[in-house]
Every structure is written in structure tokens, then in C-alpha cells.
Amino acid sequence: MSLIKARDITKVYKSDGAETRALRGVSFDIEKGEFVAVMGPSGSGKSTLLHIIGFLDRQTDGEFYFEGKTFDDFTEEEIANVRNKKMGFVFQAFNLLSRRSVFDNVVLPLVYSDIPESKWDDLAYQAIDDVGLSHRLEHTPSQLSGGEKQRVAIARALVNEPEVIFADEPTGNLDTKSGQGVMEILEDLNENKGHTIVLITHESYTAEHAERIIHILDGGVDSDGRVKHRRTSRDFKK
């Protein structure tokens, strides 16, 4: 069974009597443990697709399954629990609490989980260590570089040990060196920790760190194939 399955997904937005078709019959499968990039220009529908496969929005037509279940198989509370336990989200804008420490930002998802409080500290420390920020535990976001902020966001996404990490333009606000560092972390999480990674990006350089690229154009799948010459952390160090 595929982790994620999309079949003829469409999304139509309606405003003042006008319709905008953001997705037009999108179909694909993503298996557990894959590193997949969803690539396309601005306005192509890739972020709309992320919202649907991340249970943040519903499709207009078509079928979407996560671990074999659809929106209609869950109550709203159960969907929130799936997002909290099974999915981690990393966004371009970081979305950190500005007045809270690195540790407080990372531990926050655990507050809304059913994980015993006695385990929170260990899980947060491990996630922070996984992204190389153990020396920044008490720093606030204003004291961090852009790359470090994104590492905190990744640690926060990791802390519940999710099945899949959705990374929406995670290098968009970063310089080249910091962006490479973030991609190296995502690569490690996939190859050595077993997380499924779904990367949303408009940059071919970033997409080529994935094993597979689904190219979205004008709301549909333009191509879907394996990456022939994959970029890896080894390329950073040449």
C-alpha cells in the first residue's frame, strides 16, 4: 500500500462567481521512504497540492489516500491527530515563535500530542541534535541566522517522529550555503532515519536532491521520473 495516493485530484477556487482551476486531474503514488520533489513555477498548483496531501485542505474532485484512508474516514479531530503524529511541516517563512527559545519552539508540537510529558525533553533534545543545534538551545529566533532558523523548523517537524516531512520551499529564504546545509539535513533524514520527504520547490537545483521529481505545470502533472544525476551532500564538499 502506498503511503500517499492521489487519483485525478482537482481543486477549484470560487470567488465572486468566477472559478479558478488550480489542479487538473493530478495522479501519482508516493511510497514510504521515498524522497520526492514536486517542482513547478509559481502558480503551477504545487502548494495547493501540498495542502491537499497534507490534510490542510480538501480537493474538489478526485481521491486522495494517506495510508489507505481518505478525509471522509476521519473526524476533524482525527485529521488533526494525523497531522500532528504522522506529518511534519517545514515552510519557507520558518513560522517560529519569536520570543521563545529554540527548545521551546521544538517542544511545542508535543504539547498537542498524546506523548507523555516525561518524554518531551528527550524527544526535543534529540530532534535539535539531529539538526546540529544543540549549542543554540536557549537562543531565540532573532539570535539565529536564516539557515539556523530553518534547522529549528526542521527539528520542530521531526519531534513527533512523523512518517512524512513536507518541506515547502525550505531554501527559498536562504543563501546558497545555508540552503545546501538544509538539503543535507533532509537527505540525512531520508537516507539514515527513514523519513519520507516530500519537497515543494521551483528550483531545479534543489529538486535534484530528491530521488524523483514530479513536475507540475498549469495544474497538471507534466512529468514524473527518477533523477538521473542526483545531487547529494557529497557534492557540497567537493
Side-chain angles (χ1 to χ4, degrees):
M1 179 179 67
S2 299
L3 178 66
I4 292 170
K5 180 183 290 187
R7 291 292 180 271
D8 295 320
I9 296 294
T10 67
K11 181 65 179 179
V12 178
Y13 294 103
K14 297 181 179 180
S15 178
D16 297 327
E19 292 189 351
T20 301
R21 189 170 294 270
L23 294 175
R24 304 169 182 268
V26 171
S27 298
F28 59 82
D29 291 356
I30 295 176
E31 305 300 328
K32 182 177 179 180
E34 276 198 281
F35 188 159
V36 178
V38 178
M39 182 184 169
S42 297
S44 60
K46 59 187 186 297
S47 291
T48 299
L49 180 60
L50 170 66
H51 289 164
I52 292 171
I53 65 176
F55 276 154
L56 298 169
D57 195 8
R58 288 178 180 261
Q59 70 272 20
T60 304
D61 289 302
E63 299 176 330
F64 164 63
Y65 300 89
F66 181 81
E67 294 186 330
K69 295 184 178 181
T70 71
F71 257 112
D72 293 331
D73 293 322
F74 300 104
T75 65
E76 288 299 320
E77 182 179 355
E78 287 170 338
I79 287 174
N81 286 335
V82 169
R83 285 198 301 262
N84 182 266
K85 295 178 181 178
K86 299 278 190 174
M87 301 174 174
F89 296 88
V90 180
F91 297 102
Q92 179 177 346
F94 315 132
N95 294 344
L96 302 178
L97 298 177
S98 61
R99 296 184 180 181
R100 306 302 294 268
S101 68
V102 166
F103 179 85
D104 288 342
N105 270 280
V106 172
V107 83
L108 184 62
L110 298 173
V111 175
Y112 302 98
S113 75
D114 57 7
I115 296 172
E117 188 173 354
S118 61
K119 296 183 178 181
W120 291 0
D121 285 6
D122 287 344
L123 287 170
Y125 288 135
Q126 182 60 57
I128 293 166
D129 185 62
D130 284 343
V131 300
L133 283 179
S134 295
H135 60 302
R136 292 282 194 262
L137 283 173
E138 299 304 322
H139 287 63
T140 61
S142 65
Q143 297 171 306
L144 303 176
S145 68
E148 287 173 331
K149 290 176 185 176
Q150 195 60 288
R151 287 173 183 245
V152 177
I154 293 172
R156 183 184 55 194
L158 281 177
V159 74
N160 278 336
E161 300 179 332
E163 191 67 53
V164 57
I165 296 173
F166 296 107
D168 190 2
E169 301 281 7
T171 65
N173 284 336
L174 305 179
D175 59 47
T176 300
K177 183 178 179 180
S178 298
Q180 288 174 343
V182 165
M183 294 311 301
E184 185 173 3
I185 290 172
L186 292 177
E187 180 188 324
D188 177 69
L189 294 174
N190 173 249
E191 293 186 355
N192 298 319
K193 308 286 186 179
H195 293 283
T196 305
I197 308 290
V198 179
L199 170 70
I200 308 297
T201 183
H202 67 278
E203 301 169 332
S204 59
Y205 180 90
T206 303
E208 287 168 2
H209 287 278
E211 302 167 308
R212 169 183 165 206
I213 297 176
I214 300 171
H215 195 275
I216 302 294
L217 186 64
D218 296 331
V221 176
D222 186 53
S223 63
D224 181 351
R226 311 297 291 182
V227 176
K228 294 181 179 178
H229 303 289
R230 187 182 178 194
R231 297 181 187 273
T232 69
S233 59
R234 292 179 293 277
D235 297 322
F236 306 160
K237 298 166 184 175
K238 290 180 179 178

